[in-house]
Amino acid sequence: MKFGETFKEYLHGDQEWFLDKVSHVEYKRLKKVLKSCRRCKALHEGNSTIDQTDGEQQQHPTFSRFCQCQPCSVCDQMFFTELMREATDIAGCFRSRVQHLLHLHVPRGMQRYVLRLRQCFKNDQQALVEEGLMLIEYITMNAIAIRKILKKYDKVHSSANGKNFKSKLRAEHLELLQSPWLIELGALSLNFKGSDDGEAFIQFSGSFSCNLDEMEPVMTLMLPHSIKLEYNLKCAICLEIVFNPYALSCGHLFCKSCACSAASVMIFQGLKASSPDSKCPICREAGVYANAVHMLELDLLIKKRHKDYWKERAIAERAEMVKQSKEYWESQTKYVVGY
């Protein structure tokens, strides 16, 4: 079965009620734009052959306003603008939905007590797991749709603009399968593993695995349509398993203390206090600290799977934070008092 038919079945399948509320790739509409472009190209080439005069190709006025193959102004305007908007909406929708699930699983403040009271009357875990499964398929299907349609674009135009657009998505942090929220969703599924023998729970956690070997700690996600993703859980600064991990906007994972050190801020100040000029230690991209994602589910997974290591790192981080706080306030006192 062709992907276009598979994607259509997905949009109108059992999850139609869910997909009506969220954004998705308009695969059929974008494909029509490319088909129109292909027809214009064929007509243009046929017309150019007929209208050759004095050894020079003269374009027929009827088709001069349509696509010219490389570059194609009509397709570029309709195609890439639409696809960028859809990718942005999908990434935003996926982020907000996953955040909602995480808040239900690891609530904070008063929400913790409200949810505990609610769980006395109703168990929401089954619904949470089912939505997690839907979100995994949602992000996977849309990522495949974007990849397929860009491949078709390059085939129609004999260009590399589709590949260049993928690089642009990566630069704009819109590459769907590299989202830190997908790692959090995988960690959530592994934290549920063994909590229930229900089919949904087994399906949710069965495609994910995590090996916290100190030599090469890695999380593996086996997504629908045989897509395998591996995420290295080793901090590139301390070369240990990430502790209290943060994902920078560029996608790289670091321990909080290591990221704060790289951004030249105190641990108690947090990454939001970093300068906009601070760069990622790996890719050297600037301004990636302000919107860093605190990976709470991943931290909880490491705490469950590697208790002694997590406890040791927690004690060390707390001691370092107290030391930094003491030095900071002593320097502030000297500055105010004058000695």
Side-chain angles (χ1 to χ4, degrees):
M1 183 183 294
K2 292 184 177 181
F3 178 75
E5 296 174 0
T6 303
F7 194 66
K8 184 179 178 181
E9 284 188 4
Y10 166 69
L11 294 177
H12 300 288
D14 296 337
Q15 299 178 15
E16 187 174 4
W17 63 271
F18 168 74
L19 295 169
D20 286 341
K21 303 175 184 177
V22 297
S23 303
H24 60 81
V25 175
E26 294 290 346
Y27 187 83
K28 186 176 180 181
R29 187 166 65 193
L30 292 173
K31 196 173 178 182
K32 280 183 179 180
V33 172
L34 294 183
K35 283 184 177 179
S36 171
C37 182
R38 188 183 293 135
R39 284 198 298 270
C40 293
K41 177 184 172 184
L43 289 170
H44 170 71
E45 288 174 349
N47 184 71
S48 295
T49 304
I50 296 171
D51 292 345
Q52 285 180 1
T53 306
D54 297 328
E56 295 182 359
Q57 286 190 345
Q58 302 295 327
Q59 292 183 1
H60 195 285
T62 307
F63 302 106
S64 61
R65 60 190 175 89
F66 289 109
C67 52
Q68 306 295 324
C69 190
Q70 270 189 331
C72 175
S73 58
V74 175
C75 275
D76 285 354
Q77 184 179 3
M78 296 176 62
F79 187 88
F80 290 123
T81 303
E82 176 73 12
L83 196 55
M84 177 61 79
R85 183 186 64 78
E86 290 171 357
T88 304
D89 290 345
I90 291 165
C93 178
F94 181 70
R95 179 182 66 250
S96 61
R97 289 276 180 166
V98 174
Q99 282 178 322
H100 175 68
L101 289 187
L102 299 182
H103 288 158
L104 291 176
H105 187 234
V106 188
R108 289 181 169 186
M110 286 298 298
Q111 189 182 21
R112 179 186 307 173
Y113 301 103
V114 172
L115 287 175
R116 282 184 180 176
L117 180 63
R118 181 178 174 180
Q119 286 173 0
C120 296
F121 305 96
K122 182 181 179 181
N123 187 358
D124 292 328
Q125 280 199 349
Q126 183 70 25
L128 192 150
V129 166
E130 289 175 359
E131 185 166 356
L133 286 169
M134 285 190 293
L135 287 171
I136 290 169
E137 189 170 9
Y138 169 70
I139 201 71
T140 305
M141 291 298 291
N142 281 285
I144 295 173
I146 291 175
R147 187 184 68 191
K148 293 277 188 182
I149 203 69
L150 289 175
K151 190 175 180 180
K152 284 182 182 293
Y153 180 95
D154 283 347
K155 185 177 180 181
V156 168
H157 296 90
S158 304
S159 73
N161 289 345
K163 287 184 179 179
N164 295 337
F165 185 77
K166 285 179 69 176
S167 299
K168 186 178 180 181
L169 287 177
R170 196 174 297 115
E172 296 287 338
H173 311 132
L174 293 174
E175 194 171 12
L176 301 181
L177 295 183
Q178 297 302 319
S179 169
W181 298 108
L182 185 56
I183 302 177
E184 279 288 83
L185 198 56
L188 173 65
S189 74
L190 290 169
N191 286 329
F192 270 123
K193 200 168 188 175
S195 62
D196 198 290
D197 294 329
E199 183 179 348
F201 285 85
I202 294 171
Q203 188 180 354
F204 189 35
S205 59
S207 300
F208 301 87
S209 62
C210 184
N211 178 19
L212 293 180
D213 189 322
E214 293 183 7
M215 294 298 294
E216 199 61 44
V218 65
M219 177 188 286
T220 304
L221 309 185
M222 289 298 300
L223 300 175
H225 303 277
S226 303
I227 295 177
K228 181 180 179 180
L229 300 175
E230 290 187 345
Y231 300 98
N232 193 335
L233 301 182
K234 180 186 285 187
C235 175
I237 297 177
C238 66
L239 301 180
E240 295 187 19
I241 300 170
V242 287
F243 170 77
N244 197 6
Y246 274 76
L248 306 187
S249 297
C250 57
H252 293 116
L253 288 173
F254 297 97
C255 308
K256 181 183 179 181
S257 57
C258 295
C260 288
S261 175
S264 301
V265 296
M266 306 287 188
I267 298 175
F268 71 89
Q269 291 176 316
L271 295 177
K272 291 189 182 296
S274 63
S275 166
D277 298 327
S278 299
K279 297 180 180 180
C280 170
I282 297 177
C283 65
R284 308 306 296 167
E285 182 178 348
V288 294
Y289 291 93
N291 296 317
V293 178
H294 192 187
M295 311 290 279
L296 291 171
E297 283 292 341
L298 180 58
D299 189 46
L300 181 59
L301 176 66
I302 294 168
K303 183 179 180 180
K304 285 182 175 181
R305 300 284 183 95
H306 221 314
K307 292 181 180 179
D308 294 338
Y309 168 79
W310 191 93
K311 186 176 180 180
E312 181 184 337
R313 287 294 302 269
I315 293 171
E317 184 181 279
R318 182 170 179 80
E320 181 64 23
M321 186 164 61
V322 170
K323 179 184 175 184
Q324 289 182 3
S325 300
K326 184 178 179 181
E327 291 174 353
Y328 174 79
W329 290 113
E330 283 180 353
S331 65
Q332 292 296 308
T333 302
K334 288 180 182 178
Y335 176 77
V336 173
V337 175
Y339 63 90

